[in-house]
Amino acid sequence: QAWDQTEQNQVIESMLDKGAKGIAMFPSDAAAGNIEITKLVRSGIPCVTMGGSPLEPSDAAFCYATDVGASVALGTQELINKLKANGLTRGNIVHLCSSLGDTNTKKRQLAIKEVLAKPENAGFRLYLELSDTDAIEPAEKAISTMFSTYITQVDGIICTGYVNAQVLAKTMVELNERRVIAIGIEDSQDVLTAIDQGIMYGTMTQNPWGMGYVGIYALKLIKDGYRYK
């Protein structure tokens, strides 16, 4: 579940009250998360981070995550390649992203800008960036507004949030929208269905199961006396 930093701190305190001896966490805020991490480590509770890194230096043992910049760069380039294959020499792209405070959002924003800045992609531009859409209500509102008011100005959509990709996929299937080229993220059933029906072009996936497994196993090793190199 996505929490802001205050909510995340409350959850961590609850876990500690229940006897947790280690914490594997995705920091809600790259800077503020370090305050809680330092408090945990100084209390003898090891902490590893997953999915997105806190700002360095940090007292977290280590972080493991997808290279989100490389992932969205690949997705954005594939989106542009498809638009070119469809005969376009220029086009407007919308980015549906998570909170601006998300540790991964800035990396994704930078990657999209770098792809669009390549000489071979001249003519394609970031038309709009719809941030804070990785929750049901804001995603539904933003996507509904897009389709009801300015979708004719949009040629491609790149998603970098689980929920906004899911909402976009459902909307495109309901409207049978096949002109706009869209790339989602993660593997919700709605996204996979949209891809199977040829409505959404593709998606980028991670390995959340692996992240959870590695996080808990790493904490066990640390508690057993191993040190991370």
Side-chain angles (χ1 to χ4, degrees), residues 31-176:
N34 270 327
I35 297 174
E36 191 68 19
I37 290 169
T38 295
K39 184 165 68 174
L40 288 168
V41 173
R42 289 180 178 176
S43 299
I45 307 294
C47 180
V48 298
T49 54
M50 56 185 175
S53 62
L55 290 179
E56 295 185 55
S58 175
D59 287 321
F62 64 92
C63 177
Y64 53 101
T66 301
D67 185 337
V68 294
S71 173
V72 74
L74 174 63
T76 304
Q77 188 60 61
E78 289 297 326
L79 173 61
I80 294 173
N81 290 346
K82 177 60 175 174
L83 292 172
K84 290 179 180 178
N86 286 354
L88 274 66
T89 57
R90 61 182 63 250
N92 293 327
I93 294 173
V94 170
H95 175 204
L96 292 169
C97 65
S98 301
S99 165
L100 295 178
D102 186 316
T103 182
N104 288 323
T105 297
K106 290 183 179 179
K107 297 174 184 177
R108 288 168 166 148
Q109 289 173 315
L110 179 60
I112 291 173
K113 290 178 181 178
E114 289 178 347
V115 170
L116 291 173
K118 292 181 178 181
E120 62 266 33
N121 294 331
F124 295 91
R125 67 175 183 131
L126 183 62
Y127 180 67
L128 276 177
E129 188 168 69
L130 304 177
S131 61
D132 299 307
T133 56
D134 206 22
I136 293 292
E137 187 173 344
E140 290 179 339
K141 181 178 180 180
I143 291 170
S144 174
T145 298
M146 175 170 61
F147 275 92
S148 64
T149 60
Y150 59 87
I151 193 61
T152 57
Q153 304 301 313
V154 178
D155 301 295
I157 302 173
I158 183 83
C159 300
T160 57
Y162 181 95
V163 173
N164 55 45
Q166 184 179 40
V167 173
L168 177 66
K170 290 175 66 175
T171 302
M172 293 183 72
V173 168
E174 290 169 1
L175 299 175
N176 195 31

